[in-house]
Amino acid sequence: MPHGFHGRILTIDLSSGKIGERRLNEDDVKKYTLGSGLAVRMLYDEVPPDIDPLSPENPIFFLSGLLTGTIVPTACKMSVCSKSPLTGIWNEATVGGHWPAEFRMTGYDGIWITGKSPKPVYILISESATPPNVKILPADDLWGKDTYETGAILQTRHEKHLVAVIGPAGENLVKIASICFDPPISRFAARSGIGANMGSKNLKAIVVKGHGKRVSVADPDGLKSLLKEEIPQIKENTKALGEFGTSGGAPAVESFGDLPVKNYLLGAYPDVVKISGQAMREKIWVRHYACWACPIGCAKIVKGELAGFGKFEGHYPEYETLGMLGSNLLVNDMNILAYANELTNRLGMDTISMGSAAAFAIECYEKGKITREDTGGLELKWGDAASIVGLIEMTAYRRNKIGSALARGVKEAAEIIGKNTIDYVSHSKGLDYPAHDPRGHVSMTLSYATSVRGACHLEGLTYFLDRGIPAKDLGITTPPNQFEESDKPKIVFDMQNFLSLFNPLGLCKFLFHGRVGHSQITRWINAVCGWSWTPDGYMKTGERVFNLKRLYINRLGISRKDDLLLTRANSYPKKEGKAKGIAANLAKMLDEYYTLRGWTYEGVPSEERLKDLGLL
Ligand code: SF4
């Protein structure tokens, strides 16, 4: 029996109702690990590139990370991968919480779902289901319900089971729909419309209860003794994250000129302190929460009330949500922010893209590009609760002209509205920016431009380096200058290769805050799997996975012409704040970056590099 994985992928065809499984071999796992690494191998090899993302034939993969469900710190993640309805290219949405670890204890490493059920259904994976412990059950009574309501019903029906569920937005094929795991506490696989992939299959939820089948660990005592020394250090280095959550970093982000403000128009936002993690901790915090095996515990539960709308209790707004549904909309009231977060989560949408969509709509309204006729009579104003709540509901239910446009994502919405409103959108490869303004860290200009799924803040994380978090294994011990371009191609290259394995391994990227490098992770992998990986081998595997994803999007027509940041955030230097006047020279950085990657001028991996990486 292999160590570190079960070697079984559950396969479900929702058109025919056929349930089966496929076996994995250790060579594939060593080469790509699991999670998004294995998903891209399967998508590249077995799915026609021109497939419609919302067609029954387009698969959706739920794949555990290699270490998920073990005692390795933060080994809680799963990659949900598919061809994206929002961008038409690769998508990997990662999620933590407890569902992925529970799923892994069912004895499977992942699920490969194809087809489309003729009626709404949910999947039950549990000892109580008939062999092979999987059932497809009717979900007509759940269709139309929000993520929390559905979660509560399913948890009553299937006691002690965990739930992953889409909301009305996923059912309505909204291209910014998310999948909610573990409601009502909730973690989300959110970006690039992954919830619409699930909705297109008439699949409302997946309910799991593990059978205690943990993956076998090759050297449990060795792993325990490594962790005994390392966990206290990780805790010490991440104290602030544990106390104030990701939103605790918001004032620092603002001081670096990195915060999105008024749809990326402004460069400073002193009011950020009113909605920061510190302010929420003082006023609306209820308790801390941690994902499986996490010694950091960055998540929080908050409780409050928004005048005119009612009470809320749920997951607190993460930093990305604070940036996009907060400062980007000029919100300075934490109750508006937390309520908007809660509503977006209940309806099952990505809070980043919803913030981006709302900012776009309010700017369009302010500049006369849309009117009350388009909004169902609603006046749209910056920082206004009614405007934001109205836009969230209109988008999830595709109501009115503006809701049905925003439901297609902000880039397509601008194309529908016309009138040069594309000028109000910031995106790369069709994915709108998250809450890091690339003018604040020029490395993020290159990172967004070359991220495989579009403007993704998680593929490079280089802003952490500028803010003083070292990456000793990569030789970065002092903070790089946030505006200096010459060192950034190498930094982005190294960071992308390093981070490229986090999703395949099932690890949380906040380990980086804990000063965990790839030498340490390599020791964990070897203890769990009984392998003899080296730190260099880790980096090479990361580079292999990154390049395989690049090959997949190359095959869909992506090349240098798409490695761009479009419109606002690179066309308009800011007039205030620390990043005032900054506009990075992307073309120059791109040339150097392509050389490091061994890619042609057009951004295609060379034969030589592919051979070196074992991809040819
Ligand atoms: S640091 Fe936060 S997001 Fe990461 S695993 Fe821990 S609780 Fe989850």
Side-chain angles (χ1 to χ4, degrees):
M1 187 169 86
H3 299 294
F5 63 102
H6 300 296
R8 299 164 70 211
I9 302 279
L10 175 65
T11 57
I12 300 176
D13 178 350
L14 288 172
S15 296
S16 64
K18 193 171 165 211
I19 296 165
E21 73 175 59
R22 58 191 283 160
R23 293 271 164 183
L24 296 176
N25 73 59
E26 190 159 5
D27 288 343
D28 279 346
V29 178
K30 275 188 172 165
K31 212 164 164 187
Y32 307 103
T33 71
L34 294 176
S36 57
L38 190 66
V40 69
R41 183 74 269 175
M42 297 194 289
L43 196 65
Y44 188 87
D45 290 343
E46 302 188 42
V47 181
D50 56 354
I51 200 159
D52 175 347
L54 296 179
S55 66
E57 294 76 26
N58 186 32
I60 177 166
F61 299 104
F62 291 75
L63 282 179
S64 295
L66 184 64
L67 305 175
T68 305
T70 68
I71 59 167
V72 165
T74 79
C76 65
K77 304 277 182 181
M78 160 174 271
S79 304
V80 190
C81 304
S82 196
K83 189 177 181 188
S84 160
L86 180 71
T87 61
I89 60 171
W90 165 253
N91 186 26
E92 61 186 283
T94 309
V95 66
H98 289 259
W99 195 100
E102 186 73 31
F103 167 77
R104 199 120 199 254
M105 289 178 210
T106 61
Y108 293 107
D109 295 307
I111 325 174
W112 176 330
I113 302 171
T114 50
K116 178 180 181 180
S117 166
K119 287 188 160 190
V121 289
Y122 69 97
I123 295 169
L124 176 68
I125 307 170
S126 168
E127 263 177 336
S128 63
T130 47
N133 301 321
V134 182
K135 265 186 184 169
I136 301 170
L137 297 166
D140 308 74
D141 59 328
L142 304 172
W143 207 249
K145 296 199 186 313
D146 76 30
T147 55
Y148 290 17
E149 280 177 287
T150 312
I153 293 170
L154 287 172
Q155 281 186 308
T156 309
R157 202 176 287 172
H158 305 288
E159 227 177 289
K160 296 188 180 158
H161 288 56
L162 298 182
V163 176
V165 59
I166 56 167
E171 297 170 9
N172 295 331
L173 307 184
V174 169
K175 290 186 183 181
I176 60 170
S178 63
I179 307 171
C180 174
F181 290 71
D182 302 343
I185 286 173
S186 303
R187 298 315 245 166
F188 290 84
R191 296 234 74 191
S192 292
I194 197 77
N197 290 104
M198 197 160 147
S200 72
K201 302 194 174 309
N202 270 336
L203 177 57
K204 179 69 177 175
I206 307 178
V207 180
V208 299
K209 174 90 179 73
H211 322 320
K213 290 183 185 157
R214 289 195 181 213
V215 285
S216 155
V217 172
D219 181 7
D221 292 339
L223 181 63
K224 273 185 204 148
S225 83
L226 282 176
L227 299 184
K228 198 172 167 200
E229 299 213 344
E230 293 168 342
I231 287 178
Q233 281 176 329
I234 295 171
K235 275 190 176 163
E236 182 61 30
N237 290 331
T238 53
K239 257 190 195 157
L241 199 51
E243 185 61 21
F244 302 113
T246 52
S247 293
V253 172
E254 197 270 350
S255 73
F256 274 80
D258 185 23
L259 190 74
V261 187
K262 200 182 183 191
N263 201 19
Y264 283 97
L265 274 171
L266 304 180
Y269 194 59
D271 272 0
V272 71
V273 294
K274 296 184 186 165
I275 53 172
S276 67
Q278 290 80 350
M280 289 193 278
R281 176 76 175 82
E282 196 190 321
K283 302 232 168 86
I284 58 173
W285 173 88
V286 177
R287 64 186 166 93
H288 296 302
Y289 163 76
C291 301
W292 167 270
C294 176
I296 303 169
C298 77
K300 322 268 160 252
I301 304 298
V302 292
K303 193 175 179 176
E305 185 166 5
L306 179 60
F309 294 92
K311 295 185 176 168
F312 59 84
E313 179 171 359
H315 200 281
Y316 102 133
E318 298 285 353
Y319 166 72
E320 296 301 322
T321 309
L322 176 154
M324 301 311 293
L325 282 171
S327 57
N328 203 37
L329 303 178
L330 298 186
V331 166
N332 61 8
D333 175 338
M334 70 177 75
N335 284 297
I336 300 180
L337 170 64
Y339 187 88
N341 176 50
E342 173 89 347
L343 181 62
T344 310
N345 289 343
R346 277 181 175 272
L347 296 177
M349 290 184 290
D350 175 13
T351 54
I352 295 177
S353 288
M354 190 58 240
S356 166
F360 167 79
I362 296 172
E363 188 170 351
C364 284
Y365 189 90
E366 185 183 55
K367 294 184 173 161
K369 309 288 184 181
I370 57 170
T371 65
R372 277 178 193 245
E373 221 173 281
D374 303 310
T375 64
L378 184 68
E379 189 183 354
L380 300 183
K381 291 182 283 188
W382 295 105
D384 173 53
S387 306
I388 296 164
V389 168
L391 284 166
I392 294 168
E393 287 174 345
M394 282 190 259
T395 304
Y397 293 103
R398 293 176 170 267
R399 279 187 204 136
N400 304 314
K401 187 171 169 196
I402 190 65
S404 85
L406 296 178
R408 294 164 178 270
V410 72
K411 175 175 165 268
E412 222 178 304
E415 286 160 4
I416 292 166
I417 293 166
K419 305 175 192 170
N420 293 326
T421 54
I422 192 71
D423 227 22
Y424 310 161
V425 179
S426 296
H427 76 95
S428 181
K429 299 184 182 74
L431 183 63
D432 41 280
Y433 287 8
H436 292 281
D437 188 326
R439 292 165 295 188
H441 299 278
V442 297
S443 56
M444 290 307 289
T445 303
L446 183 60
S447 184
Y448 279 172
T450 56
S451 289
V452 186
R453 69 173 178 175
C456 172
H457 62 294
L458 295 166
E459 290 187 36
L461 286 189
T462 51
Y463 47 88
F464 281 149
L465 298 169
D466 298 357
R467 275 167 45 197
I469 295 173
K472 282 194 190 145
D473 284 2
L474 302 177
I476 305 167
T477 50
T478 52
N481 180 319
Q482 68 188 107
F483 302 126
E484 172 60 47
E485 292 171 14
S486 62
D487 54 349
K488 297 306 183 292
K490 177 75 166 77
I491 288 175
V492 171
F493 170 77
D494 283 338
M495 286 294 281
Q496 285 175 335
N497 291 342
F498 167 48
L499 294 166
S500 172
L501 276 198
F502 272 62
N503 294 353
L505 293 172
L507 298 178
C508 175
K509 288 179 180 168
F510 293 131
L511 280 176
F512 183 58
H513 262 274
R515 313 315 193 245
V516 171
H518 59 278
S519 309
Q520 204 170 338
I521 297 174
T522 302
R523 289 195 288 274
W524 297 343
I525 294 169
N526 290 340
V528 171
C529 299
W531 298 345
S532 340
W533 270 26
T534 60
D536 285 349
Y538 172 105
M539 290 299 278
K540 195 160 185 172
T541 307
E543 190 177 353
R544 180 182 306 124
V545 168
F546 191 88
N547 274 272
L548 184 55
K549 291 181 205 163
R550 180 72 183 187
L551 285 179
Y552 175 69
I553 64 170
N554 281 154
R555 199 162 68 168
L556 299 173
I558 297 291
S559 66
R560 186 186 187 102
K561 69 179 181 346
D562 307 289
D563 288 348
L564 296 172
L565 304 191
L566 290 166
T567 66
R568 171 144 303 161
N570 65 323
S571 312
Y572 302 90
K574 297 196 206 194
K575 295 193 177 69
E576 63 287 294
K578 190 163 183 201
K580 181 179 168 183
I582 297 295
N585 184 345
L586 174 61
K588 187 160 182 286
M589 289 195 285
L590 209 53
D591 285 339
E592 286 172 33
Y593 171 89
Y594 279 10
T595 304
L596 286 164
R597 282 239 167 264
W599 292 356
T600 66
Y601 178 81
E602 285 303 328
V604 178
S606 65
E607 237 180 85
E608 199 187 347
R609 185 60 62 99
L610 291 178
K611 272 188 193 146
D612 181 48
L613 293 172
L615 287 169
L616 263 192

